[in-house]
Short mmCIF file of all heavy atoms in Angstrom, two decimals:
data_model
loop_
_atom_site.label_atom_id
_atom_site.label_comp_id
_atom_site.label_asym_id
_atom_site.label_seq_id
_atom_site.Cartn_x
_atom_site.Cartn_y
_atom_site.Cartn_z
N MET A 1 -70.53 0.28 42.53
CA MET A 1 -69.69 -0.11 41.43
C MET A 1 -68.26 -0.27 41.94
O MET A 1 -67.68 0.64 42.51
CB MET A 1 -69.77 0.96 40.35
CG MET A 1 -68.84 0.73 39.20
SD MET A 1 -69.12 1.90 37.87
CE MET A 1 -67.66 2.88 38.02
N ALA A 2 -67.70 -1.43 41.74
CA ALA A 2 -66.33 -1.70 42.17
C ALA A 2 -65.35 -1.14 41.14
O ALA A 2 -65.54 -1.26 39.94
CB ALA A 2 -66.13 -3.21 42.32
N ASP A 3 -64.33 -0.50 41.65
CA ASP A 3 -63.31 0.07 40.77
C ASP A 3 -62.39 -1.04 40.28
O ASP A 3 -62.04 -1.95 41.02
CB ASP A 3 -62.49 1.12 41.50
CG ASP A 3 -63.26 2.40 41.74
OD1 ASP A 3 -64.03 2.78 40.85
OD2 ASP A 3 -63.09 3.00 42.80
N THR A 4 -62.01 -0.94 39.02
CA THR A 4 -61.05 -1.88 38.45
C THR A 4 -59.72 -1.18 38.29
O THR A 4 -59.62 0.05 38.40
CB THR A 4 -61.53 -2.38 37.07
OG1 THR A 4 -61.58 -1.27 36.17
CG2 THR A 4 -62.90 -3.03 37.16
N VAL A 5 -58.69 -1.95 38.01
CA VAL A 5 -57.36 -1.39 37.80
C VAL A 5 -57.40 -0.40 36.64
O VAL A 5 -56.78 0.67 36.70
CB VAL A 5 -56.33 -2.51 37.54
CG1 VAL A 5 -54.99 -1.94 37.15
CG2 VAL A 5 -56.19 -3.40 38.77
N GLU A 6 -58.17 -0.72 35.61
CA GLU A 6 -58.23 0.14 34.43
C GLU A 6 -58.87 1.50 34.75
O GLU A 6 -58.37 2.53 34.32
CB GLU A 6 -59.01 -0.54 33.30
CG GLU A 6 -58.30 -1.74 32.70
CD GLU A 6 -58.43 -3.01 33.54
OE1 GLU A 6 -59.34 -3.09 34.41
OE2 GLU A 6 -57.60 -3.91 33.36
N THR A 7 -59.97 1.49 35.51
CA THR A 7 -60.61 2.77 35.84
C THR A 7 -59.76 3.60 36.79
O THR A 7 -59.67 4.82 36.63
CB THR A 7 -62.01 2.56 36.46
OG1 THR A 7 -61.89 1.76 37.63
CG2 THR A 7 -62.96 1.91 35.49
N LEU A 8 -59.12 2.94 37.76
CA LEU A 8 -58.24 3.68 38.67
C LEU A 8 -57.04 4.25 37.93
O LEU A 8 -56.62 5.38 38.19
CB LEU A 8 -57.78 2.76 39.81
CG LEU A 8 -58.85 2.32 40.80
CD1 LEU A 8 -58.28 1.32 41.79
CD2 LEU A 8 -59.46 3.49 41.52
N THR A 9 -56.49 3.47 37.00
CA THR A 9 -55.35 3.95 36.22
C THR A 9 -55.75 5.12 35.33
O THR A 9 -55.01 6.10 35.21
CB THR A 9 -54.77 2.80 35.37
OG1 THR A 9 -54.40 1.72 36.23
CG2 THR A 9 -53.55 3.25 34.59
N ALA A 10 -56.93 5.05 34.74
CA ALA A 10 -57.41 6.17 33.91
C ALA A 10 -57.60 7.43 34.74
O ALA A 10 -57.23 8.53 34.31
CB ALA A 10 -58.72 5.78 33.23
N ARG A 11 -58.15 7.28 35.95
CA ARG A 11 -58.29 8.44 36.85
C ARG A 11 -56.94 9.02 37.20
O ARG A 11 -56.75 10.24 37.20
CB ARG A 11 -58.98 8.02 38.15
CG ARG A 11 -60.43 8.21 38.13
CD ARG A 11 -60.99 8.01 39.50
NE ARG A 11 -62.18 7.18 39.34
CZ ARG A 11 -62.70 6.41 40.25
NH1 ARG A 11 -62.16 6.35 41.44
NH2 ARG A 11 -63.77 5.71 40.01
N ARG A 12 -55.99 8.12 37.52
CA ARG A 12 -54.64 8.56 37.90
C ARG A 12 -53.99 9.34 36.76
O ARG A 12 -53.39 10.39 36.97
CB ARG A 12 -53.78 7.35 38.28
CG ARG A 12 -52.42 7.74 38.76
CD ARG A 12 -51.53 6.51 38.94
NE ARG A 12 -50.26 6.87 39.52
CZ ARG A 12 -49.28 7.46 38.86
NH1 ARG A 12 -49.42 7.79 37.59
NH2 ARG A 12 -48.15 7.77 39.47
N VAL A 13 -54.11 8.82 35.54
CA VAL A 13 -53.51 9.48 34.38
C VAL A 13 -54.10 10.87 34.18
O VAL A 13 -53.37 11.84 33.95
CB VAL A 13 -53.69 8.60 33.11
CG1 VAL A 13 -53.38 9.38 31.85
CG2 VAL A 13 -52.82 7.36 33.20
N SER A 14 -55.43 11.00 34.31
CA SER A 14 -56.05 12.31 34.11
C SER A 14 -55.62 13.30 35.20
O SER A 14 -55.39 14.48 34.90
CB SER A 14 -57.57 12.19 34.04
OG SER A 14 -58.09 11.71 35.25
N ILE A 15 -55.48 12.84 36.43
CA ILE A 15 -55.05 13.73 37.51
C ILE A 15 -53.60 14.15 37.32
O ILE A 15 -53.24 15.31 37.50
CB ILE A 15 -55.26 13.08 38.89
CG1 ILE A 15 -56.76 12.94 39.16
CG2 ILE A 15 -54.60 13.89 39.99
CD1 ILE A 15 -57.10 12.12 40.38
N VAL A 16 -52.74 13.19 36.93
CA VAL A 16 -51.32 13.51 36.73
C VAL A 16 -51.16 14.49 35.57
O VAL A 16 -50.37 15.43 35.66
CB VAL A 16 -50.49 12.22 36.51
CG1 VAL A 16 -49.10 12.53 36.02
CG2 VAL A 16 -50.44 11.41 37.79
N LYS A 17 -51.90 14.30 34.49
CA LYS A 17 -51.83 15.23 33.36
C LYS A 17 -52.24 16.64 33.78
O LYS A 17 -51.60 17.62 33.42
CB LYS A 17 -52.72 14.77 32.21
CG LYS A 17 -52.13 13.66 31.38
CD LYS A 17 -53.06 13.30 30.23
CE LYS A 17 -52.51 12.17 29.41
NZ LYS A 17 -53.42 11.78 28.32
N ALA A 18 -53.33 16.73 34.55
CA ALA A 18 -53.78 18.04 35.02
C ALA A 18 -52.77 18.65 35.96
O ALA A 18 -52.47 19.85 35.87
CB ALA A 18 -55.13 17.90 35.72
N ARG A 19 -52.23 17.84 36.86
CA ARG A 19 -51.24 18.35 37.82
C ARG A 19 -50.00 18.87 37.10
O ARG A 19 -49.51 19.95 37.40
CB ARG A 19 -50.83 17.22 38.78
CG ARG A 19 -49.79 17.65 39.80
CD ARG A 19 -49.24 16.48 40.56
NE ARG A 19 -48.48 15.63 39.64
CZ ARG A 19 -48.00 14.44 39.96
NH1 ARG A 19 -48.23 13.92 41.13
NH2 ARG A 19 -47.31 13.74 39.09
N ASP A 20 -49.53 18.11 36.10
CA ASP A 20 -48.34 18.52 35.38
C ASP A 20 -48.56 19.77 34.52
O ASP A 20 -47.63 20.50 34.24
CB ASP A 20 -47.84 17.37 34.50
CG ASP A 20 -47.30 16.21 35.33
OD1 ASP A 20 -47.09 16.38 36.55
OD2 ASP A 20 -47.10 15.12 34.76
N SER A 21 -49.82 20.02 34.14
CA SER A 21 -50.10 21.22 33.34
C SER A 21 -50.48 22.41 34.21
O SER A 21 -50.69 23.51 33.70
CB SER A 21 -51.21 20.93 32.33
OG SER A 21 -52.42 20.71 33.00
N GLY A 22 -50.63 22.19 35.53
CA GLY A 22 -50.94 23.27 36.45
C GLY A 22 -52.42 23.55 36.62
O GLY A 22 -52.81 24.54 37.21
N VAL A 23 -53.27 22.64 36.13
CA VAL A 23 -54.72 22.81 36.23
C VAL A 23 -55.23 22.10 37.47
O VAL A 23 -54.79 21.00 37.78
CB VAL A 23 -55.40 22.23 34.96
CG1 VAL A 23 -56.90 22.31 35.08
CG2 VAL A 23 -54.91 22.95 33.73
N LEU A 24 -56.15 22.72 38.20
CA LEU A 24 -56.70 22.11 39.41
C LEU A 24 -58.07 21.46 39.19
O LEU A 24 -58.63 20.88 40.11
CB LEU A 24 -56.81 23.16 40.53
CG LEU A 24 -55.49 23.69 41.07
CD1 LEU A 24 -55.75 24.76 42.13
CD2 LEU A 24 -54.66 22.57 41.65
N THR A 25 -58.61 21.54 37.96
CA THR A 25 -59.89 20.92 37.66
C THR A 25 -59.68 19.77 36.69
O THR A 25 -59.02 19.93 35.67
CB THR A 25 -60.86 21.94 37.05
OG1 THR A 25 -61.04 23.00 37.99
CG2 THR A 25 -62.20 21.33 36.74
N VAL A 26 -60.27 18.61 37.02
CA VAL A 26 -60.10 17.40 36.22
C VAL A 26 -61.48 16.88 35.84
O VAL A 26 -62.38 16.80 36.69
CB VAL A 26 -59.35 16.30 37.01
CG1 VAL A 26 -59.27 15.02 36.22
CG2 VAL A 26 -57.98 16.78 37.41
N LYS A 27 -61.66 16.52 34.57
CA LYS A 27 -62.90 15.89 34.13
C LYS A 27 -62.58 14.47 33.72
O LYS A 27 -61.72 14.22 32.88
CB LYS A 27 -63.51 16.66 32.97
CG LYS A 27 -64.85 16.11 32.56
CD LYS A 27 -65.53 16.95 31.51
CE LYS A 27 -66.89 16.33 31.23
NZ LYS A 27 -67.59 17.03 30.18
N HIS A 28 -63.26 13.51 34.35
CA HIS A 28 -63.09 12.10 34.03
C HIS A 28 -64.47 11.53 33.75
O HIS A 28 -65.28 11.38 34.65
CB HIS A 28 -62.42 11.36 35.20
CG HIS A 28 -62.21 9.90 34.93
ND1 HIS A 28 -61.26 9.45 34.06
CD2 HIS A 28 -62.85 8.81 35.40
CE1 HIS A 28 -61.32 8.14 34.02
NE2 HIS A 28 -62.28 7.73 34.82
N GLY A 29 -64.74 11.25 32.48
CA GLY A 29 -66.08 10.80 32.09
C GLY A 29 -67.06 11.94 32.27
O GLY A 29 -66.86 13.03 31.75
N ASP A 30 -68.11 11.70 33.03
CA ASP A 30 -69.09 12.75 33.27
C ASP A 30 -68.88 13.42 34.63
O ASP A 30 -69.69 14.24 35.05
CB ASP A 30 -70.51 12.20 33.17
CG ASP A 30 -70.77 11.07 34.14
OD1 ASP A 30 -69.79 10.53 34.69
OD2 ASP A 30 -71.94 10.70 34.34
N GLU A 31 -67.79 13.08 35.32
CA GLU A 31 -67.46 13.66 36.62
C GLU A 31 -66.44 14.77 36.47
O GLU A 31 -65.48 14.64 35.74
CB GLU A 31 -66.82 12.59 37.52
CG GLU A 31 -67.74 11.94 38.49
CD GLU A 31 -66.99 10.94 39.34
OE1 GLU A 31 -65.99 11.31 39.97
OE2 GLU A 31 -67.42 9.78 39.34
N MET A 32 -66.66 15.88 37.19
CA MET A 32 -65.70 16.97 37.20
C MET A 32 -65.31 17.24 38.65
O MET A 32 -66.17 17.35 39.52
CB MET A 32 -66.27 18.23 36.57
CG MET A 32 -65.25 19.35 36.48
SD MET A 32 -65.88 20.82 35.68
CE MET A 32 -65.84 20.29 33.99
N THR A 33 -64.00 17.30 38.89
CA THR A 33 -63.49 17.52 40.24
C THR A 33 -62.55 18.70 40.23
O THR A 33 -61.68 18.80 39.36
CB THR A 33 -62.73 16.27 40.75
OG1 THR A 33 -63.59 15.14 40.66
CG2 THR A 33 -62.27 16.45 42.17
N THR A 34 -62.72 19.60 41.19
CA THR A 34 -61.80 20.72 41.37
C THR A 34 -61.05 20.51 42.68
O THR A 34 -61.66 20.39 43.73
CB THR A 34 -62.55 22.06 41.40
OG1 THR A 34 -63.26 22.20 40.17
CG2 THR A 34 -61.59 23.22 41.56
N PHE A 35 -59.73 20.43 42.58
CA PHE A 35 -58.88 20.21 43.76
C PHE A 35 -58.51 21.55 44.37
O PHE A 35 -58.46 22.57 43.70
CB PHE A 35 -57.63 19.44 43.37
CG PHE A 35 -57.93 18.05 42.88
CD1 PHE A 35 -58.04 17.79 41.53
CD2 PHE A 35 -58.13 17.02 43.77
CE1 PHE A 35 -58.33 16.52 41.07
CE2 PHE A 35 -58.42 15.74 43.33
CZ PHE A 35 -58.52 15.49 41.98
N ARG A 36 -58.24 21.53 45.67
CA ARG A 36 -57.91 22.75 46.39
C ARG A 36 -56.46 23.17 46.21
O ARG A 36 -56.13 24.33 46.25
CB ARG A 36 -58.22 22.59 47.87
CG ARG A 36 -59.69 22.62 48.16
CD ARG A 36 -59.96 22.31 49.58
NE ARG A 36 -60.43 20.93 49.56
CZ ARG A 36 -60.55 20.15 50.58
NH1 ARG A 36 -60.20 20.56 51.77
NH2 ARG A 36 -61.01 18.94 50.47
N SER A 37 -55.59 22.17 46.05
CA SER A 37 -54.16 22.51 45.98
C SER A 37 -53.39 21.39 45.29
O SER A 37 -53.92 20.29 45.08
CB SER A 37 -53.59 22.71 47.38
OG SER A 37 -53.66 21.49 48.09
N LEU A 38 -52.14 21.68 44.98
CA LEU A 38 -51.26 20.69 44.39
C LEU A 38 -50.99 19.55 45.37
O LEU A 38 -50.94 18.38 44.97
CB LEU A 38 -49.94 21.35 43.99
CG LEU A 38 -48.88 20.47 43.36
CD1 LEU A 38 -49.39 19.85 42.07
CD2 LEU A 38 -47.62 21.25 43.11
N SER A 39 -50.88 19.85 46.65
CA SER A 39 -50.63 18.80 47.63
C SER A 39 -51.82 17.85 47.74
O SER A 39 -51.63 16.65 47.94
CB SER A 39 -50.29 19.40 49.00
OG SER A 39 -51.37 20.15 49.49
N GLU A 40 -53.03 18.36 47.57
CA GLU A 40 -54.20 17.48 47.57
C GLU A 40 -54.16 16.53 46.38
O GLU A 40 -54.46 15.34 46.50
CB GLU A 40 -55.48 18.29 47.56
CG GLU A 40 -56.73 17.42 47.63
CD GLU A 40 -58.02 18.20 47.57
OE1 GLU A 40 -58.03 19.35 47.09
OE2 GLU A 40 -59.04 17.64 48.00
N MET A 41 -53.77 17.06 45.22
CA MET A 41 -53.64 16.21 44.03
C MET A 41 -52.59 15.12 44.25
O MET A 41 -52.80 13.97 43.87
CB MET A 41 -53.29 17.06 42.80
CG MET A 41 -54.40 17.98 42.36
SD MET A 41 -53.92 19.00 40.96
CE MET A 41 -54.58 18.00 39.64
N ASN A 42 -51.47 15.49 44.87
CA ASN A 42 -50.42 14.51 45.14
C ASN A 42 -50.91 13.42 46.09
O ASN A 42 -50.59 12.24 45.92
CB ASN A 42 -49.18 15.19 45.71
CG ASN A 42 -48.45 16.01 44.67
OD1 ASN A 42 -48.53 15.74 43.48
ND2 ASN A 42 -47.76 17.04 45.12
N ARG A 43 -51.71 13.80 47.09
CA ARG A 43 -52.26 12.80 48.02
C ARG A 43 -53.22 11.86 47.30
O ARG A 43 -53.23 10.65 47.56
CB ARG A 43 -52.99 13.50 49.18
CG ARG A 43 -52.08 14.05 50.23
CD ARG A 43 -52.82 14.44 51.50
NE ARG A 43 -53.98 15.30 51.27
CZ ARG A 43 -53.95 16.62 51.28
NH1 ARG A 43 -52.82 17.25 51.51
NH2 ARG A 43 -55.04 17.32 51.08
N ILE A 44 -54.03 12.39 46.40
CA ILE A 44 -54.97 11.56 45.65
C ILE A 44 -54.22 10.59 44.74
O ILE A 44 -54.57 9.41 44.65
CB ILE A 44 -55.94 12.43 44.82
CG1 ILE A 44 -56.79 13.31 45.73
CG2 ILE A 44 -56.81 11.58 43.91
CD1 ILE A 44 -57.72 12.57 46.65
N VAL A 45 -53.16 11.06 44.08
CA VAL A 45 -52.36 10.17 43.23
C VAL A 45 -51.73 9.06 44.06
O VAL A 45 -51.73 7.89 43.67
CB VAL A 45 -51.29 10.97 42.44
CG1 VAL A 45 -50.29 10.05 41.77
CG2 VAL A 45 -51.95 11.88 41.41
N ALA A 46 -51.20 9.39 45.23
CA ALA A 46 -50.62 8.38 46.11
C ALA A 46 -51.67 7.38 46.56
O ALA A 46 -51.42 6.16 46.63
CB ALA A 46 -49.96 9.04 47.31
N ASN A 47 -52.88 7.86 46.87
CA ASN A 47 -53.97 6.99 47.26
C ASN A 47 -54.36 6.05 46.12
O ASN A 47 -54.59 4.85 46.32
CB ASN A 47 -55.17 7.82 47.71
CG ASN A 47 -56.29 6.98 48.27
OD1 ASN A 47 -56.16 5.79 48.46
ND2 ASN A 47 -57.41 7.62 48.53
N LEU A 48 -54.46 6.59 44.90
CA LEU A 48 -54.77 5.76 43.75
C LEU A 48 -53.68 4.72 43.51
O LEU A 48 -53.98 3.57 43.17
CB LEU A 48 -54.96 6.63 42.50
CG LEU A 48 -56.25 7.45 42.46
CD1 LEU A 48 -56.22 8.44 41.31
CD2 LEU A 48 -57.47 6.55 42.37
N ASP A 49 -52.41 5.11 43.68
CA ASP A 49 -51.31 4.15 43.55
C ASP A 49 -51.47 2.99 44.53
O ASP A 49 -51.27 1.82 44.16
CB ASP A 49 -49.96 4.83 43.77
CG ASP A 49 -49.55 5.73 42.62
OD1 ASP A 49 -50.09 5.55 41.49
OD2 ASP A 49 -48.69 6.61 42.84
N SER A 50 -51.86 3.30 45.75
CA SER A 50 -52.06 2.26 46.77
C SER A 50 -53.22 1.35 46.40
O SER A 50 -53.13 0.12 46.56
CB SER A 50 -52.32 2.89 48.13
OG SER A 50 -51.20 3.62 48.56
N GLN A 51 -54.31 1.92 45.92
CA GLN A 51 -55.47 1.12 45.52
C GLN A 51 -55.14 0.21 44.34
O GLN A 51 -55.54 -0.95 44.30
CB GLN A 51 -56.64 2.02 45.17
CG GLN A 51 -57.26 2.72 46.35
CD GLN A 51 -58.43 3.61 45.93
OE1 GLN A 51 -59.13 3.31 44.97
NE2 GLN A 51 -58.61 4.70 46.65
N ILE A 52 -54.40 0.75 43.37
CA ILE A 52 -54.00 -0.04 42.20
C ILE A 52 -53.10 -1.19 42.63
O ILE A 52 -53.27 -2.33 42.20
CB ILE A 52 -53.32 0.85 41.14
CG1 ILE A 52 -54.35 1.81 40.52
CG2 ILE A 52 -52.66 0.01 40.06
CD1 ILE A 52 -53.74 2.92 39.69
N ALA A 53 -52.15 -0.89 43.50
CA ALA A 53 -51.23 -1.93 43.99
C ALA A 53 -51.99 -3.02 44.74
O ALA A 53 -51.71 -4.20 44.60
CB ALA A 53 -50.17 -1.31 44.89
N ALA A 54 -53.00 -2.63 45.53
CA ALA A 54 -53.79 -3.61 46.28
C ALA A 54 -54.58 -4.51 45.34
O ALA A 54 -54.67 -5.72 45.56
CB ALA A 54 -54.72 -2.90 47.25
N LEU A 55 -55.15 -3.92 44.28
CA LEU A 55 -55.90 -4.72 43.32
C LEU A 55 -55.01 -5.66 42.52
O LEU A 55 -55.43 -6.74 42.12
CB LEU A 55 -56.69 -3.82 42.37
CG LEU A 55 -57.91 -3.12 42.95
CD1 LEU A 55 -58.51 -2.16 41.94
CD2 LEU A 55 -58.96 -4.15 43.37
N GLN A 56 -53.77 -5.23 42.28
CA GLN A 56 -52.83 -6.06 41.53
C GLN A 56 -52.13 -7.08 42.42
O GLN A 56 -51.41 -7.93 41.93
CB GLN A 56 -51.78 -5.18 40.83
CG GLN A 56 -52.36 -4.36 39.72
CD GLN A 56 -51.33 -3.44 39.09
OE1 GLN A 56 -50.37 -3.03 39.74
NE2 GLN A 56 -51.55 -3.09 37.84
N GLY A 57 -52.32 -6.96 43.72
CA GLY A 57 -51.69 -7.90 44.64
C GLY A 57 -50.25 -7.56 44.94
O GLY A 57 -49.49 -8.40 45.41
N THR A 58 -49.85 -6.34 44.69
CA THR A 58 -48.49 -5.90 45.00
C THR A 58 -48.56 -4.79 46.02
O THR A 58 -49.58 -4.13 46.18
CB THR A 58 -47.76 -5.37 43.74
OG1 THR A 58 -48.52 -4.28 43.21
CG2 THR A 58 -47.61 -6.44 42.69
N GLN A 59 -47.50 -4.59 46.72
CA GLN A 59 -47.43 -3.52 47.70
C GLN A 59 -46.46 -2.46 47.23
O GLN A 59 -45.45 -2.77 46.61
CB GLN A 59 -46.98 -4.06 49.06
CG GLN A 59 -48.01 -4.93 49.73
CD GLN A 59 -49.26 -4.15 50.09
OE1 GLN A 59 -49.19 -2.99 50.49
NE2 GLN A 59 -50.41 -4.78 49.95
N LYS A 60 -46.76 -1.24 47.55
CA LYS A 60 -45.87 -0.14 47.23
C LYS A 60 -44.64 -0.24 48.12
O LYS A 60 -44.75 -0.48 49.33
CB LYS A 60 -46.59 1.19 47.47
CG LYS A 60 -45.82 2.40 47.06
CD LYS A 60 -46.65 3.65 47.27
CE LYS A 60 -45.83 4.87 46.96
NZ LYS A 60 -46.58 6.08 47.22
N LYS A 61 -43.48 -0.09 47.54
CA LYS A 61 -42.24 -0.16 48.31
C LYS A 61 -42.14 1.05 49.23
O LYS A 61 -42.43 2.16 48.85
CB LYS A 61 -41.03 -0.21 47.40
CG LYS A 61 -40.93 -1.49 46.62
CD LYS A 61 -39.67 -1.52 45.80
CE LYS A 61 -39.60 -2.82 45.03
NZ LYS A 61 -38.38 -2.93 44.25
N ARG A 62 -41.71 0.78 50.44
CA ARG A 62 -41.53 1.86 51.40
C ARG A 62 -40.04 2.05 51.64
O ARG A 62 -39.32 1.09 51.83
CB ARG A 62 -42.21 1.53 52.73
CG ARG A 62 -43.70 1.43 52.61
CD ARG A 62 -44.30 1.10 53.96
NE ARG A 62 -45.70 0.85 53.84
CZ ARG A 62 -46.64 1.70 54.19
NH1 ARG A 62 -46.30 2.86 54.71
NH2 ARG A 62 -47.90 1.42 54.06
N LEU A 63 -39.64 3.29 51.62
CA LEU A 63 -38.26 3.62 51.91
C LEU A 63 -38.16 4.09 53.35
O LEU A 63 -39.00 4.84 53.83
CB LEU A 63 -37.76 4.73 50.98
CG LEU A 63 -37.71 4.39 49.50
CD1 LEU A 63 -37.29 5.62 48.71
CD2 LEU A 63 -36.74 3.26 49.25
N ARG A 64 -37.12 3.64 54.00
CA ARG A 64 -36.91 4.06 55.38
C ARG A 64 -35.52 4.67 55.47
O ARG A 64 -34.53 4.03 55.11
CB ARG A 64 -37.03 2.87 56.32
CG ARG A 64 -36.91 3.25 57.76
CD ARG A 64 -37.17 2.08 58.64
NE ARG A 64 -37.07 2.50 60.02
CZ ARG A 64 -37.11 1.69 61.04
NH1 ARG A 64 -37.27 0.41 60.83
NH2 ARG A 64 -37.01 2.14 62.25
N TYR A 65 -35.46 5.88 55.94
CA TYR A 65 -34.20 6.59 56.06
C TYR A 65 -33.83 6.68 57.54
O TYR A 65 -34.68 7.00 58.37
CB TYR A 65 -34.30 8.00 55.49
CG TYR A 65 -34.55 8.01 53.99
CD1 TYR A 65 -35.83 8.22 53.49
CD2 TYR A 65 -33.52 7.81 53.10
CE1 TYR A 65 -36.07 8.23 52.14
CE2 TYR A 65 -33.75 7.82 51.74
CZ TYR A 65 -35.02 8.03 51.27
OH TYR A 65 -35.25 8.04 49.92
N ALA A 66 -32.59 6.41 57.84
CA ALA A 66 -32.10 6.53 59.21
C ALA A 66 -31.11 7.69 59.25
O ALA A 66 -30.16 7.75 58.46
CB ALA A 66 -31.43 5.25 59.66
N TYR A 67 -31.33 8.61 60.15
CA TYR A 67 -30.45 9.76 60.31
C TYR A 67 -29.77 9.69 61.66
O TYR A 67 -30.39 9.33 62.65
CB TYR A 67 -31.25 11.06 60.22
CG TYR A 67 -31.87 11.29 58.86
CD1 TYR A 67 -33.20 10.99 58.63
CD2 TYR A 67 -31.11 11.79 57.83
CE1 TYR A 67 -33.77 11.19 57.38
CE2 TYR A 67 -31.68 11.99 56.58
CZ TYR A 67 -33.01 11.69 56.36
OH TYR A 67 -33.56 11.88 55.14
N GLN A 68 -28.51 10.02 61.66
CA GLN A 68 -27.76 10.06 62.91
C GLN A 68 -27.31 11.49 63.12
O GLN A 68 -26.65 12.09 62.26
CB GLN A 68 -26.57 9.12 62.86
CG GLN A 68 -25.80 9.05 64.14
CD GLN A 68 -24.68 8.03 64.06
OE1 GLN A 68 -24.47 7.42 63.03
NE2 GLN A 68 -23.95 7.89 65.14
N SER A 69 -27.66 12.03 64.25
CA SER A 69 -27.24 13.39 64.52
C SER A 69 -26.23 13.37 65.65
O SER A 69 -26.20 12.48 66.48
CB SER A 69 -28.44 14.26 64.90
OG SER A 69 -29.02 13.76 66.07
N GLY A 70 -25.38 14.32 65.63
CA GLY A 70 -24.36 14.44 66.65
C GLY A 70 -23.44 15.58 66.32
O GLY A 70 -23.61 16.31 65.34
N LYS A 71 -22.43 15.73 67.11
CA LYS A 71 -21.49 16.83 66.92
C LYS A 71 -20.39 16.48 65.93
O LYS A 71 -19.57 17.33 65.58
CB LYS A 71 -20.87 17.22 68.27
CG LYS A 71 -21.89 17.80 69.23
CD LYS A 71 -21.24 18.24 70.49
CE LYS A 71 -22.29 18.83 71.43
NZ LYS A 71 -21.70 19.31 72.64
N GLY A 72 -20.35 15.24 65.49
CA GLY A 72 -19.34 14.86 64.51
C GLY A 72 -17.95 14.69 65.10
O GLY A 72 -16.95 14.78 64.40
N LEU A 73 -17.86 14.46 66.39
CA LEU A 73 -16.54 14.30 67.03
C LEU A 73 -16.08 12.88 67.01
O LEU A 73 -16.70 11.94 67.10
CB LEU A 73 -16.60 14.80 68.47
CG LEU A 73 -16.93 16.29 68.63
CD1 LEU A 73 -17.06 16.64 70.09
CD2 LEU A 73 -15.85 17.14 67.98
#
């Protein structure tokens, strides 16, 4: 079964709601998933964002930070 934008978005919404409420178990339809940690949930949300962007034909913007270190002289 191919995932659609709607199903991926629904999954994302349920994971974000659970993450924001502090719950590590999510039920989506007849599937129940228990995550190991908050960081795992964040990785899954980022993955879903990438999949949704790919299906919509858009790319997620990437930020690039440049740091300069030195003695400040």
Side-chain angles (χ1 to χ4, degrees):
M1 175 173 109
D3 287 323
T4 64
V5 173
E6 291 79 19
T7 58
L8 292 175
T9 303
R11 267 190 225 155
R12 184 188 186 284
V13 167
S14 63
I15 292 171
V16 168
K17 282 182 181 178
R19 179 190 67 189
D20 292 347
S21 67
V23 176
L24 292 178
T25 301
V26 176
K27 185 174 183 183
H28 180 73
D30 58 346
E31 262 181 54
M32 184 177 283
T33 304
T34 301
F35 296 96
R36 286 174 256 166
S37 64
L38 179 61
S39 63
E40 183 182 21
M41 292 178 95
N42 289 334
R43 282 193 309 269
I44 297 296
V45 169
N47 186 8
L48 288 170
D49 287 341
S50 297
Q51 290 180 32
I52 291 168
L55 287 175
Q56 291 177 333
T58 59
Q59 290 294 323
K60 185 177 175 183
K61 292 184 180 182
R62 295 180 186 256
L63 296 176
R64 184 174 181 187
Y65 295 99
Y67 295 99
Q68 183 176 2
S69 62
K71 294 183 180 182
L73 297 176

